[in-house]
Amino acid sequence: QVQLVESGGGLVQAGGSLRLSCAASGRTFDIAAVGWFQQAPGKERVLVVAMRWGGTSRYYADSVKGRFIISRDNAKNTVYLQMDSLKPEDTAVYYCAASRSYSVISRTDFDYWGQGTQVTVSS
């Protein structure tokens, strides 16, 4: 089993930045890909960024392309989400997720989930 713990959320003004962290523990050798999901109140949880753990492949949803960057530190078993130029519409709970598969495009492709961290962007 893999455990994921997110941190770094908070309240920021529009145009500001946040860096989310996701620390993995347990059977981290099972992780092939990682990603971040966004879920606003009453909305569907959607994948916004993803990457292979040991490669360079990246996925960015159109809504965050050019503003968000996903990265990881294999030695620390940690994945990061750098969020710049934040907009009020980015307000949501952000969930870190990991997959045993290298191919990840939806919720069903992920096997492990964090508890979520709240990001609120004010205008």
Side-chain angles (χ1 to χ4, degrees), residues 54-97:
T56 59
S57 181
R58 302 284 194 280
Y59 164 81
Y60 293 97
D62 289 341
S63 62
V64 304
K65 192 172 298 182
R67 300 188 298 119
F68 291 10
I69 298 175
I70 185 172
S71 62
R72 88 288 191 224
D73 185 332
N74 293 60
K76 295 182 178 180
N77 289 323
T78 300
V79 61
Y80 305 96
L81 180 63
Q82 177 66 228
M83 304 186 294
D84 296 325
S85 301
L86 283 162
K87 305 174 181 179
E89 49 263 45
D90 296 321
T91 295
V93 175
Y94 286 79
Y95 296 89
C96 177

Side-chain angles (χ1 to χ4, degrees), residues 8-60:
L11 173 64
V12 298
Q13 293 185 340
S17 299
L18 282 175
R19 189 193 194 197
L20 307 184
S21 298
C22 175
S25 61
R27 296 171 61 88
T28 56
F29 51 83
D30 286 341
I31 299 174
V34 293
W36 289 89
F37 284 78
Q38 171 186 263
Q39 187 166 29
K43 302 293 185 180
E44 183 177 284
R45 188 179 301 185
V46 298
L47 180 67
V48 293
V49 298
M51 70 176 296
R52 291 181 176 179
W53 187 254
T56 59
S57 181
R58 302 284 194 280
Y59 164 81
Y60 293 97

Side-chain angles (χ1 to χ4, degrees), residues 97-120:
S99 175
R100 296 189 297 265
S101 172
Y102 289 103
S103 180
V104 289
I105 57 173
S106 69
R107 289 179 62 180
T108 59
D109 295 315
F110 290 85
D111 305 290
Y112 313 106
W113 295 85
Q115 296 298 115
T117 186
Q118 177 71 47
V119 172
T120 302

